[in-house]
Structures are given as structure tokens and as C-alpha cells.
Amino acid sequence: MTPITVRVDGAAYTDDVEPRTLLVHYLREQVGKVGTVVGCDTSNCGACTVHLDGEAVKSCTVLAVQADGCEVTTIEGVGQDGLHPVQKAFHEMHGLQCGFCTPGMIMASIDLLEDNPDPSDDEVREGIEGNLCRCTGYQNIVRAVRHAAAEMRGGGGGSRNGHVSPAVVDTAAAPHVAVQA
Amino acid sequence: MIPAPFQYVRPTTVEEALQAIADGGEDVKVLAGGQSLIPVMRLRLAAPETVVDLGRVAGLRGVRDDGDAIVIGAMTTHSDVLSDPLIAEHAPLVAEATATVADRQVRHRGTFGGALVHADPAGDLPAVALALDAEFVIAGQSGRRTVPAAEFFVDYLTTAVEEGELLVEVRVPKLTGSWGMRYEKFNRVAQAWSIVAVAAVVRRENGRIAEARVGLTNMGPTPLRARQVEEALAGAEATPEAVAAAAQRAAEGTEPSSDLNAQADYRQHLATVLTRRAVTAAAGL
Ligand SMILES: Cc1cc2nc3c(=O)[nH]c(=O)nc-3n(C[C@H](O)[C@H](O)[C@H](O)COP(=O)(O)OP(=O)(O)OC[C@H]3O[C@@H](n4cnc5c(N)ncnc54)[C@H](O)[C@@H]3O)c2cc1C
Ligand code: FES
Ligand code: FES
């Protein structure tokens, strides 16, 4: 066992971990941050993305001992008062279906927007290339990220990339949706 | 899956790290960014007895100016490389290729040195180091030695770094004169490894190509220089026709593998196409 001290979502933790413990398992099982999920065994899907000292990383590909002395932010810590603008935008723009990829998508998107506050559609797609979604086809994820970007820049227009709106839902193609609504 | 149990050591100097490797038993692994090592340990393809973490070793991270070369520390992360002004000025090819590596999360952790020592045939940085005639500074308990790129990549996943040694830094010579560079990568989806890629570095003089260096990614177990192309380009007119004719020779003597992504003969075809594109762009045509 190796002792580590980590700040997670603003609170300090001191724990003994086995060196082989992955950061994601430490966060979920010892700290209880189950908002961060594991979606693959190959470092490909990005579902486990958290911020380590302010940078997005795949927490399944970091050992907990490597995070000793560092600051970790998970999806549970991004909203200060209520939802973070990127969380809000995923909600408003229908940027999720099953929601499994969403914590990682949001953590990667926040990191992208710090580097590039006004990304184009292509820049969003490339910026979150390390995150896979099996449900949405990405279209509304891209819209959500751009909507959040505009929100975070402070609504005064000025987007070099034009207006963003949610996808038009064609209920005619899926009548049961209209019936249930 | 989680890795098999191991002893974890976190040295703070190169000397301590070398000692830890010497003391670590039969199977010791050095941990840099962990973006290749942790995945193979999770799949239990590697189960080292001891892991020596270089994360806190002083002096291995960053880029410095050393007169006729820039020196890139082994622990410089891919994202450090992308924002470094010395690399942007003297070796923009390194940044161009690094931007195509993996995704932002992996680039925050993965290191320049780790990618070179790992020497995956599909890795993007080995062919770039080869095309730039980089030199590798390797530390062992008996001192330091410098190995030229042409001798660094020995075989599949094998470099001149011997057991008990560490890569500490890489010297990239500054180019003088009017050079252009380009990395052309072909892959299936954004974050995937190269199926084939080509690094080209070209010096033009009076409307001619004075010198060209061409590195090939994933055209064999190690990165390669396309020597026949380089010879055909030396002194050639800087025209699209001359470049296209030379690029036809890019696959000569190569033995690429066949896998799920591509058959060997398709890789050889790609090498000629990507060489034409990379040299054309590097020559400013
Ligand atoms: C999803 C994903 C996609 C990727 N896509 C690409 C891609 O498109 N192109 C690409 O080039 N790479 C890609 N990579 C690999 C990435 O570039 C890694 O960063 C790199 O291969 C290894 O660097 P590292 O610092 O993480 O090394 P580690 O994983 O820590 O180490 C790798 C190996 O090198 C040894 N080693 C590391 N540093 C030293 C040193 N200083 N001295 C001696 N030995 C050392 C280790 O012992 C280990 O055997 C990808 C990785 C992932 C997870
Ligand atoms: S769980 Fe898939 S990348 Fe981490
Ligand atoms: S919403 Fe289901 S995986 Fe993305």
C-alpha cells in the first residue's frame, strides 16, 4: 500500500492505495465519485475523463499513485452553483441519449473550450475525438458544445461561426414519439 | 481489467531512477506518461515486478536552446510540444506530427520520449525523428551516450535503449537555409494510429530541390528513410512532375505488414501517394 493525498472536487483526501489501482477506480470506489464511469478496457472511449491539475485525462490510464499531490475535478465538481454551462447545454440541446458517455464528453468539452472558446463544428469534432458515443451520432453533442461556448463567451453575439440551434426533431419519422408526448 | 501487482518507485533524480532500475529485479518497467504502458499492463500483456515512475524526476521535462540544436527532454508531454515556441520555430514538423497523435487527453499525459522509446511501427514521432536526423541521449549507470536516429530504432518495439538505461533527451539539429516540412498521415478515424504516414523535409535552392529527407511510418517493423526517393530528388527541378516521379520509388525495399487496416501492397501504394503529397507541400509547390 502507498499513501496518497489528493484533492477531489475541492475536498482533500488521504488514503492508502495499491500502486496498481487506476485513478478511475480510486475515484469511484474509495472517494465515491461514481459520476465518472468506465466504458472500455483499451483507453479509447473517454467515458472516464476527469481533469488532473486542470487538464483532461483518461482516468483509466492514470495510476492513483500518479495523482498524489494533485487536484482532480470530476463531473460531480464542475457545477459551482447548479449546472456548469456545458452541462446545461447538453441538457438543452439533447446532447445525450443513454448518457453513459456524457460525463466524459462534458469534461473533454470543458477542456477544449479553455483552449478554444469559439470552436467551429469541425474543431469540436476534432477536439473531442478521444470520446466515443454509441447513441447520438454526435450531431447534438457538437451543437451542445457550441451552444455552451457561446454562453460562456457571454451572449453578446460575436460568434465567428454563426448561429447554433438544436436539431429539428422530425416526429413524422417516429410517430410514437408524438403519441407519447 | 486492472494491472497485476507491482512495486512502485518514484525517484526524483536520473541517478536515483537508474539505481531503482538496477535494484528492481528481473522485470522492471519505466513509467513515463503511461499512455502505452498502462494499457498493456491492464490487458496483462505486461506484468512488471517493479515500475519506476519518471513523473517526478527533475530536469527531464521541457525544451531548451543549445546553439545549433534544440533539446527536447524525454518527459516533455505531447501537449507541451504543441505549445513550445522553440519547436514551432526550429522543428515545426515535430509539432505537426504530434498534433495528429491520439486525442487531447492522451496528449496531456503521453511524452515525446515515451513515444520514441516505445517505437510502435505506427507511432508518428519515430519517422519524424529519423527525417530530422535527431540524436538520442541515453543515460546508464556508467554514464551518458549519444545515438544517432539512424541507429536508434533497432527492431519492432526495440530501440538502442538497453535494459538498465533511460532516454533523457533528444537533440534536434536546427536547419539552416530555406527548408519546408510536412507530415502526411493516413488513418481511418481521427484518433487512430497511422496506417501509413510520411514525414518530408525539403531544402530548396534556386528553383531546385537541393536536399530532401523522407521518413516513413508503419512501412516495416521500424521507421524507415526512403533513400531512393531522397536520391532521386537531390538536385532535381522543383516541379510537380519531378516530385511525382521520385515519389513512385517510396515503397522500394519496404516490407510493411498486412493487418485489419490494410494489406501490404495497399500500404506500399499509400507510401507513394503520401510521399508525393508530403514532398510537394514541403517543397512549397
Ligand atoms: C487511445 C490512444 C491513441 C493513441 N494514438 C497514437 C497515435 O495516433 N500516434 C502515436 O504516435 N501514438 C499514439 N498513442 C501512443 C501515445 O503517443 C503514447 O504517449 C506513447 O506511445 C507512449 O508515451 P508515454 O509517455 O505514455 O510512455 P509510457 O506508456 O509510459 O511508456 C512506453 C514505453 O516506453 C518506455 N519508456 C518511456 N519513457 C522512457 C524513457 N525516458 N527511457 C526509457 N524507457 C522509457 C516504457 O518503459 C514503456 O515500455 C496513442 C495512445 C492511446 C492510449
Ligand atoms: S474507460 Fe474508456 S478510455 Fe477510460
Ligand atoms: S449518449 Fe449513449 S453513449 Fe453517448
Side-chain angles (χ1 to χ4, degrees), chain A residues 70-118:
Chain A
C70 298
E71 174 104 34
V72 177
T73 307
T74 75
I75 188 68
E76 297 186 23
V78 291
Q80 299 300 336
D81 306 301
L83 295 181
H84 184 281
V86 177
Q87 288 176 305
K88 227 165 77 200
F90 269 70
H91 180 207
E92 284 169 10
M93 296 287 130
H94 311 288
L96 61 142
Q97 288 177 24
C98 81
F100 199 83
C101 69
T102 315
M105 284 288 178
I106 289 174
M107 297 312 286
S109 301
I110 293 173
D111 188 67
L112 165 68
L113 295 179
E114 271 163 25
D115 286 351
N116 181 354
D118 188 11

Side-chain angles (χ1 to χ4, degrees), chain B residues 110-175:
Chain B
T111 66
F112 187 67
L116 292 166
V117 180
H118 189 57
D120 192 301
D124 294 295
L125 301 172
V128 168
L130 200 57
L132 291 172
D133 284 337
E135 292 179 328
F136 293 75
V137 181
I138 298 170
Q141 281 198 310
S142 53
R144 296 191 174 199
R145 62 197 176 97
T146 301
V147 175
E151 292 164 23
F152 185 77
F153 301 101
V154 176
D155 202 346
Y156 180 72
L157 302 181
T158 308
T159 68
V161 178
E162 304 276 354
E163 268 178 45
E165 290 186 320
L166 284 178
L167 176 67
V168 287
E169 59 194 24
V170 180
R171 295 174 57 84
V172 181
K174 290 180 188 170
L175 299 170

